[in-house]
Amino acid sequence: MIARARALVGRRVLVYKDMEGLASNPMHKVRGAVHLMDLGPELEAIGEDEAKNHALAAANGDKDAALPAWNGAGLPERGPVSAEQLGRALAAVPVT
């Protein structure tokens, strides 16, 4: 499921979630994605703050990892970006 989700970066996706109990303690529940549906490419621009938050989240909060990925993808310092541009930046974030 993770590989499929990564392949859909930059696209509109419908995610079906389910609350599941942990095997070790059924009273503790976690959300899990049970199905992803590809709705096609994202055509609207993504706001600067939201895009930068996505890049930072992909780098697990490490600004030193997110910034080179952002700059390396050629994204502007200010202003909205396309989903394709954001996808390039997220793909460039080193996996930790």
Side-chain angles (χ1 to χ4, degrees):
M1 184 75 72
I2 291 172
R4 176 147 170 76
R6 285 189 178 138
L8 296 173
V9 169
R11 300 183 65 81
R12 294 179 14 178
V13 177
L14 183 60
V15 180
Y16 291 91
K17 302 180 285 183
D18 189 23
M19 294 296 287
E20 300 174 355
L22 296 175
S24 61
N25 185 349
M27 296 302 291
H28 288 111
K29 302 209 181 263
V30 295
R31 266 184 286 204
V34 294
H35 182 70
L36 297 173
M37 186 182 297
D38 184 3
L39 300 178
E42 177 60 64
L43 302 176
E44 295 181 21
I46 300 168
E48 173 188 344
D49 291 338
E50 183 181 356
K52 287 182 178 178
N53 285 339
H54 282 298
L56 193 57
N60 294 322
D62 184 359
K63 290 181 184 178
D64 294 329
L67 187 59
W70 183 273
N71 293 333
L75 275 69
E77 191 171 318
R78 295 273 179 230
V81 298
S82 71
E84 182 182 339
Q85 290 174 311
L86 179 58
R88 284 197 312 265
L90 295 179
V93 173
V95 178
T96 57

